[in-house]
């Protein structure tokens, strides 16, 4: 039986970390030269094409939580666990028509907060910002933690050092290049991730074989191939709604919808959903091989890297290290950029200093990127809980945002009362279920409660929203 | 009665997922080349 030991020595780990860090920061500086103004820095000039648009949507959604949690899901919940994780791609598919509608209704919009403010007014906007910023921070922290765990699992780099290094690299290139750097690096990172997953998956299939894995699992842990494993079936729907809620509300996805050319957004999100769907299965199934190989897994969130590195040896461990670094970086940079936009645009420019000029705003945006990095670093320092615990805590809150966003974009009768009570009731009841039943039902219940409230209140209302109010360039002209 | 996923089903979804991931990587490269030819990258 193997014991858990690092496959790369820490010296090689540090060398890889330094090379990758310098490479991404240099690319960030190179692309950052294109960001001549605030629109360039925040939205990459609103002219992103199909290839980069598809890649950035996909790469951002391939987080450490895909490459590390998908194996954990498979390890704990079996076949349903992998399929459950794949349903997170439905959020990308379903966001495709929304991306088109967002670009059409808000040609000069900057953030998801802009939409909620213009559509529902200030009280709803503030609740939405609290949920959205809280979720972004939770996600950022879960990935900072994942960075530390990964470096430690693969190369024996102490958790605190690995976590600090990856956060520093991402802060630097996001700071220099804004969304240009984020989207450009996302394209390269997505290719590395996809190729790496295929290489590792092929290695496992050729080394152990699917039939041998199945034979071992069905004998030793038959519940992992049980069609009716109740917790896993709940996780299937929970994860789907969590994914939809996250994508619908988060500025990470809205900023990309604003950044892509009008004709590109819908197509790019649709394709990214297709490309993303198989990834949790391709990355997750290797965890099922743990028993057949004889690996003793003491920490479930390390199962993926450990098995891949054990099977593929040193060269494989290098591939795994690079893939995991890319999957972390592609999401951390997006979160830093999108959350910085939300805080700069919605909090600073709209609430604190509406008269701020472009130069001042750019400085504030840069300060917010650095501040977010420092905040995430401080929270990540003590390693708290597992990745799932941290991430899914925010699930009911994002689940409760699905319907206020969806109805707000397409239904004139949707109104602020429904949105506020939908978000609050969904979040509160979902969180109660999170603590009393389990994480695997929290988003599901949060979304269901929010849907009921939003739909009932909208049906009872006689409001007829004027869509033109969402185009701020026109409303500003009219009022000026 | 307990119902289990069949060996064939598991085989198909795992190998299928690996092939689909390889296709996704190829498609991204092809799309990039097309965008570059049409000057539509950014």
């Amino acid at each position: 039986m193997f014991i858990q030991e690092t496959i790369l020595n820490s010296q090689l780990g540090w060398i890889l970390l330094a090379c990758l860090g310098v490479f991404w920061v240099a690319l960030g500086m190179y692309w950052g030269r294109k960001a001549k103004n605030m629109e360039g820095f925040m939205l990459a000039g609103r002219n992103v094409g199909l290839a980069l648009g598809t890649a950035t949507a996909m790469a951002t959604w391939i987080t450490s939580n895909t490459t590390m949690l998908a194996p954990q899901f498979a390890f704990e919940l079996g076949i349903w666990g992998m399929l459950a994780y794949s349903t997170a791609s439905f959020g990308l598919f379903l966001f495709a028509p929304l991306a088109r509608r967002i670009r059409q209704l808000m040609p000069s919009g900057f953030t998801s907060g802009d939409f909620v403010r213009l559509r529902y007014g200030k009280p709803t906007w503030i609740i939405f910002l609290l949920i959205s910023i809280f979720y972004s921070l939770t996600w950022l922290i879960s990935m900072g933690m994942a960075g530390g765990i990964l470096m430690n699992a693969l190369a024996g780099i102490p958790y605190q050092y690995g976590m600090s290094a990856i956060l520093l690299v991402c802060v630097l290139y996001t700071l220099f290049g804004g969304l240009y750097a984020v989207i450009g690096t996302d394209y390269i990172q997505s290719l590395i991730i996809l190729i790496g997953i295929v290489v590792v998956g092929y290695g496992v299939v050729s080394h152990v074989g699917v039939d041998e894995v199945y034979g071992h699992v069905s004998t030793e842990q038959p519940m992992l191939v049980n069609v009716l494993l109740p917790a896993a079936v709940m996780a299937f729907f929970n994860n789907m709604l969590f994914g939809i809620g996250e994508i619908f509300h988060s500025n990470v996805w809205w900023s990309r919808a604003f950044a892509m050319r009008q004709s590109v957004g819908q197509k790019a999100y649709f394709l990214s959903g297709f490309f993303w769907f198989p990834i949790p299965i391709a990355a997750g199934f290797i965890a099922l091989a743990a028993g057949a190989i004889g690996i003793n897994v003491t920490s479930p969130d390390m199962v993926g890297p450990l098995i891949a590195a054990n099977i593929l040896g040193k060269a494989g461990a290098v591939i795994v290290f690079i893939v995991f670094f890319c999957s972390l970086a592609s999401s951390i940079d997006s979160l830093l950029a999108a959350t910085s936009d939300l805080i700069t645009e919605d909090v600073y420019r709209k609430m604190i200093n509406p008269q701020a000029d472009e130069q001042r705003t750019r400085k504030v945006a840069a300060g917010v990127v650095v501040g977010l990095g420092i905040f995430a670093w401080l929270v990540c320092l003590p390693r708290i809980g597992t990745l799932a615990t941290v991430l899914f805590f925010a699930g009911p809150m994002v689940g409760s945002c699905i319907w206020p966003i969806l109805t707000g974009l397409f239904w004139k009768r949707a109104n602020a009362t429904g949105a506020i009570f939908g978000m609050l009731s969904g979040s509160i009841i979902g969180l109660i279920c999170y603590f009393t039943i389990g994480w695997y039902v929290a988003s599901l219940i949060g979304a269901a409660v929010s849907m009921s409230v939003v739909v009932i209140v909208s049906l009872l209302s006689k409001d007829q929203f004027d869509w033109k109010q969402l185009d701020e360039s026109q409303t500003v002209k009219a009022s000026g | 009665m307990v119902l289990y996923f069949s060996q064939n089903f598991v085989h198909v979804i795992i190998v299928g997922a690996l092939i689909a991931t390889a296709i996704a990587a190829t498609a991204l490269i092809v799309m990039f080349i097309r965008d570059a030819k049409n000057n539509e990258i950014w």
Side-chain angles (χ1 to χ4, degrees):
Chain A
M1 180 183 288
F2 291 104
I3 55 164
Q4 285 189 2
E5 57 185 18
T6 61
I7 303 302
L8 288 175
N9 63 52
S10 62
Q11 198 181 4
L12 182 54
W14 277 114
I15 291 169
L16 280 173
L17 198 56
C19 292
L20 288 167
V22 169
F23 180 60
W24 296 126
V25 173
L27 277 178
M29 291 172 82
Y30 172 72
W31 277 311
R33 294 183 310 171
K34 292 172 79 71
K36 306 270 187 232
N37 54 25
M38 205 54 203
E39 203 160 84
F41 187 77
M42 286 173 74
L43 298 173
R46 296 186 195 270
N47 207 28
V48 175
L50 186 62
L52 296 192
T54 306
T56 189
M58 192 186 59
T60 304
W61 209 213
I62 305 170
T63 65
S64 61
N65 303 315
T66 317
T67 44
M68 292 178 84
L69 262 184
Q72 183 179 341
F73 261 52
F75 185 70
E76 292 175 342
L77 300 171
I79 302 300
W80 270 119
M82 299 189 303
L83 296 175
Y85 218 103
S86 282
T87 60
S89 64
F90 292 4
L92 291 170
F93 288 127
L94 294 173
F95 193 71
L98 272 68
R100 184 181 178 181
R101 179 88 171 150
I102 288 164
R103 201 71 166 77
Q104 183 190 353
L105 291 175
M106 302 178 70
S108 59
F110 274 92
T111 66
S112 54
D114 280 344
F115 166 74
V116 177
R117 175 175 51 83
L118 295 166
R119 180 67 178 85
Y120 292 124
K122 200 168 179 182
T124 320
W125 179 44
I126 289 170
I127 295 170
F128 175 81
L129 283 180
L130 288 173
I131 291 177
S132 199
I133 292 172
F134 174 76
Y135 177 70
S136 298
L137 293 176
T138 314
W139 191 8
L140 187 60
I141 290 160
S142 82
M143 271 178 302
M145 281 170 52
I149 293 168
L150 166 75
M151 307 296 160
N152 188 250
L154 282 183
I157 295 172
Y159 166 81
Q160 279 82 359
Y161 293 159
M163 178 272 295
S164 307
I166 198 157
L167 278 176
L168 179 68
V169 168
C170 292
V171 165
L172 283 177
Y173 77 76
T174 308
L175 191 63
F176 292 131
L179 201 61
Y180 273 116
V182 170
I183 290 179
T185 50
D186 275 359
Y187 179 78
I188 300 172
Q189 286 160 352
S190 65
L191 280 181
I192 293 173
I193 293 166
L194 291 173
I195 293 167
I197 286 174
V198 172
V199 169
V200 171
Y202 178 76
V204 173
V205 167
S206 55
H207 184 88
V208 193
V210 178
D211 295 343
E212 193 183 333
V213 171
Y214 181 88
H216 191 274
V217 169
S218 59
T219 314
E220 301 296 324
Q221 296 169 286
M223 68 153 197
L224 297 183
V225 286
N226 186 347
V227 176
L228 298 173
L229 184 62
V233 177
M234 294 304 287
F236 184 90
F237 291 104
N238 189 73
N239 218 48
M240 182 165 63
L241 286 163
F242 184 25
I244 294 170
E246 201 289 327
I247 291 178
F248 277 24
H249 95 282
S250 172
N251 194 49
V252 168
W253 313 99
W254 281 69
S255 64
R256 278 156 178 71
F258 290 125
M260 290 177 209
R261 268 199 293 278
Q262 191 154 2
S263 58
V264 161
Q266 178 165 337
K267 219 184 285 180
Y269 272 100
F270 198 70
L271 281 173
S272 66
F274 262 116
F275 293 170
W276 197 92
F277 183 80
I279 290 169
I281 301 171
F285 86 92
I286 58 171
L288 294 175
I293 302 165
I295 291 178
N296 178 29
V297 178
T298 53
S299 180
D301 51 15
M302 287 187 190
V303 65
L306 279 172
I307 290 173
N310 265 294
I311 286 179
L312 295 168
K314 200 167 184 177
V318 171
I319 296 173
V320 170
F321 190 96
I322 294 170
V323 166
F324 278 78
F325 187 98
C326 290
S327 67
L328 285 159
S330 65
S331 303
I332 292 176
D333 61 6
S334 302
L335 272 168
L336 286 169
T339 313
S340 158
D341 291 354
L342 207 58
I343 294 172
T344 306
E345 178 68 16
D346 287 74
V347 179
Y348 178 73
R349 276 229 308 171
K350 294 290 188 312
M351 291 183 194
I352 298 170
N353 187 5
Q355 307 305 323
D357 60 17
E358 197 163 295
Q359 205 179 1
R360 174 83 190 143
T361 311
R362 175 86 182 249
K363 277 186 185 160
V364 170
V368 173
V369 170
V370 175
L372 285 169
I374 293 172
F375 175 78
W377 179 76
L378 285 172
V379 180
C380 286
L381 270 178
R383 189 178 158 178
I384 42 169
T386 68
L387 297 179
T389 315
V390 178
L391 189 68
F392 285 109
F393 179 77
M397 286 176 263
V398 301
S400 71
C401 289
I402 295 174
W403 292 94
I405 295 287
L406 191 60
T407 55
L409 276 169
F410 291 98
W411 195 13
K412 286 185 170 187
R413 284 170 76 168
N415 55 63
T417 313
I420 289 175
F421 284 105
M423 286 192 285
L424 288 179
S425 58
S427 298
I428 292 167
I429 296 172
L431 279 175
I432 291 170
C433 295
Y434 175 93
F435 288 111
T436 54
I437 303 172
W439 63 265
Y440 47 86
V441 294
S443 302
L444 185 64
I445 291 172
V449 170
S450 167
M451 179 186 76
S452 311
V453 172
V454 169
V455 171
I456 290 168
V457 173
S458 301
L459 284 173
L460 292 173
S461 138
K462 290 196 170 104
D463 289 2
Q464 288 291 318
F465 184 76
D466 178 8
W467 299 118
K468 286 179 187 158
Q469 288 181 43
L470 291 175
D471 185 356
E472 214 163 10
S473 59
Q474 295 304 315
T475 51
V476 168
K477 270 185 205 164
S479 64
Chain B
M1 187 186 128
V2 184
L3 199 61
Y4 294 108
F5 286 107
S6 72
Q7 186 166 331
N8 282 341
F9 176 79
V10 174
H11 203 114
V12 166
I13 63 161
I14 289 173
V15 175
L18 284 172
I19 293 170
T21 307
I23 291 171
T26 313
L28 277 182
I29 295 168
V30 171
M31 282 158 61
F32 186 84
I33 294 168
R34 205 196 58 173
D35 277 358
K37 275 184 184 165
N38 298 330
N39 202 19
E40 288 179 345
I41 291 175
W42 295 103

